[in-house]
Amino acid sequence: MATGSTSTNPVPRGIHHLKLPVTDLERSARWYGKVLGAHRLTELDHRRPDGALFAVILDVPGLGTRLELRLDPDTATALDGYDFLTLAVNDRTALDRWTAHLDALDVPHSPPVVALVGWLLVVPDPDGLRLRLYTAAPHGLDPAQIEYDSPWLSTGPAPESKPGR
């Protein structure tokens, strides 16, 4: 048994939905529709008592849960460049199909990146949040080929140098 767990710990059923902050609901809903084939579930639109729309719910093929786009410009702006969601694709061939799909839509994206285990494709959404497509099949390349310095592969902040270290 894992440390800290007991047989009486509650267990979630799974992910209910994912929520992403956006600056423009309609623009983002169109983008996710175009890029991922998502469709809006208008019956689940979230409105304030005054009727103002503050969130939309999308059904995204293959995601396994719904995606909520929440109007929150401050948070969306603060997260610009953050890679918030990584979707699995089978292999490099599948990743190349995504590249062709995005090119046909004229959607900006990274080149295929040699990541830690597999190949990675990064697609910034309209607010700069980075959607990632990562191969389930490992690339099998030598670790020396990992593109740590790629602007598309987030490795976190560099450690601060401390005196005496």
Side-chain angles (χ1 to χ4, degrees), residues 46-133:
H46 290 32
R47 297 184 180 277
R48 291 186 174 77
D50 66 2
L53 183 67
F54 68 91
V56 298
I57 307 297
L58 304 177
D59 185 33
V60 181
L63 188 58
T65 193
R66 291 180 175 157
L67 180 63
E68 176 183 339
L69 302 179
R70 175 71 62 115
L71 186 60
D72 187 345
D74 291 341
T75 302
T77 300
L79 292 175
D80 183 4
Y82 184 72
D83 41 10
F84 66 95
L85 180 63
T86 302
L87 301 176
V89 299
N90 286 337
D91 52 24
R92 177 60 193 263
T93 300
L95 198 70
D96 291 343
R97 284 195 301 273
W98 274 98
T99 299
H101 168 70
L102 295 167
D103 287 346
L105 295 173
D106 207 23
V107 172
H109 60 83
S110 73
V113 175
V114 180
L116 297 176
V117 177
W119 292 96
L120 174 70
L121 188 68
V122 182
V123 188
D125 82 354
D127 290 304
L129 293 172
R130 292 178 171 193
L131 171 68
R132 297 169 12 135
L133 300 163

Side-chain angles (χ1 to χ4, degrees), residues 6-38:
T6 68
S7 61
T8 61
N9 284 355
V11 177
R13 282 184 49 187
I15 296 173
H16 186 273
H17 70 278
L18 301 172
K19 179 170 36 174
L20 304 179
V22 300
T23 59
D24 183 319
L25 287 171
E26 299 300 334
R27 176 186 68 175
S28 292
R30 283 190 306 273
W31 188 88
Y32 283 92
K34 177 173 78 168
V35 172
L36 296 180

